[in-house]
Amino acid sequence: AQSVSQHNHHVILSEAASLELGCNYSYGGTVNLFWYVQYPGQHLQLLLKYFSGDPLVKGIKGFEAEFIKSKFSFNLRKPSVQWSDTAEYFCAVTPRDTDKLIFGTGTRLQVFP
Amino acid sequence: DAMVIQNPRYQVTQFGKPVTLSCSQTLNHNVMYWYQQKSSQAPKLLFHYYDKDFNNEADTPDNFQSRRPNTSFCFLDIRSPGLGDAAMYLCATSIYAGNTGELFFGEGSRLTVL
């Protein structure tokens, strides 16, 4: 079955620390890849996406993600986190032969000043 | 301005008492989705509409039904809520244009079952 795994369930960082959140998916075909973010009390919103081309994609608020096809991974990174990055982060995948978005279980990020 | 609006934001019901959650959108997207998200779990797709074509996930319980009377509105009906149905219910929309998979979400409706 298709699935998305996020290795870190809860991450705690100090401001200015670097961030990397892992995401792996299991699907043999072509996929579109996404990271969504949910700030406290707000709706899910798109952080960045990868469809094709350069495997290093840049999103909003200084986030980037790298697609490594051989590892079925799409890890999220940010060089220096801020307190306002405190949120839940969801990796998600859409197999190209469907329009269904499959989510990972999410990573809760807490950033302390 | 909110583009996907869910009502109510919080719903408390009794065991077995039917509940309807609503979703409206101003994006004119032709695909609408309902997800169920339980605490510390991934959002789980219940069903979705391509225009008026209804697509049910194989493991969605019969207790869950949906209606889409027009492009802008979609409803989730839970006929006989059980304690296990307590969750956040998320509505989302997308333009069906070559499998982009980019969804726009509402803020969710949190259901409590007593």
Side-chain angles (χ1 to χ4, degrees), chain B residues 2-70:
Chain B
M3 296 178 289
V4 181
I5 303 165
Q6 292 189 240
N7 283 298
R9 293 287 310 280
Y10 301 92
Q11 175 73 59
V12 180
T13 190
Q14 292 178 330
F15 185 95
K17 187 173 181 182
V19 160
T20 295
L21 306 177
S22 75
C23 177
S24 64
Q25 55 135 336
T26 58
L27 297 165
N28 205 33
H29 286 172
N30 55 350
V31 190
M32 293 187 79
Y33 306 79
W34 280 105
Y35 282 84
Q36 179 193 62
Q37 185 181 17
K38 295 185 177 180
S39 181
S40 302
Q41 295 184 24
K44 177 182 176 298
L45 183 63
L46 295 174
F47 23 62
H48 66 289
Y49 282 89
Y50 288 123
D51 296 318
K52 287 187 175 289
D53 293 333
F54 177 70
N55 298 270
N56 197 32
E57 292 301 295
D59 57 354
T60 297
D62 292 339
N63 197 25
F64 291 84
Q65 304 287 320
S66 184
R67 297 169 282 136
R68 189 179 184 186
N70 54 53

Side-chain angles (χ1 to χ4, degrees), chain A residues 32 34 36 49 96 99 104, chain B residues 35 42 50 96 99-100 102-103:
Chain A
N32 295 330
F34 305 84
Y36 279 83
K49 60 187 178 186
R96 289 274 179 93
D99 257 341
Chain B
Y35 282 84
Y50 288 123
Y96 178 59
N99 293 329
T100 67
E102 182 173 349
L103 272 60

Side-chain angles (χ1 to χ4, degrees), chain A residues 73-90:
Chain A
S73 71
F74 190 55
N75 292 353
L76 181 70
R77 299 194 292 249
K78 185 170 183 178
S80 176
V81 295
Q82 300 173 320
W83 176 78
S84 58
D85 294 324
T86 295
E88 186 105 23
Y89 292 82
F90 292 91

Side-chain angles (χ1 to χ4, degrees), chain A residues 19-112:
Chain A
L19 171 72
E20 180 159 3
L21 302 182
C23 173
N24 287 88
Y25 65 93
S26 63
Y27 184 72
T30 306
V31 296
N32 295 330
L33 297 153
F34 305 84
W35 278 95
Y36 279 83
V37 61
Q38 188 170 27
Y39 297 103
Q42 297 187 25
H43 60 277
L44 278 162
Q45 53 189 293
L46 184 67
L47 195 57
L48 48 75
K49 60 187 178 186
Y50 173 80
F51 294 162
S52 63
D54 188 344
L56 183 63
V57 292
K58 295 190 184 299
I60 60 173
K61 303 185 180 185
F63 285 90
E64 65 180 30
E66 184 175 14
F67 171 50
I68 302 179
K69 188 175 181 180
S70 60
K71 294 184 178 180
F72 298 88
S73 71
F74 190 55
N75 292 353
L76 181 70
R77 299 194 292 249
K78 185 170 183 178
S80 176
V81 295
Q82 300 173 320
W83 176 78
S84 58
D85 294 324
T86 295
E88 186 105 23
Y89 292 82
F90 292 91
C91 182
V93 166
T94 296
R96 289 274 179 93
D97 56 359
T98 77
D99 257 341
K100 299 179 185 179
L101 194 61
I102 302 165
F103 283 93
T105 51
T107 298
R108 184 179 172 212
L109 172 65
Q110 282 185 290
V111 180
F112 289 95

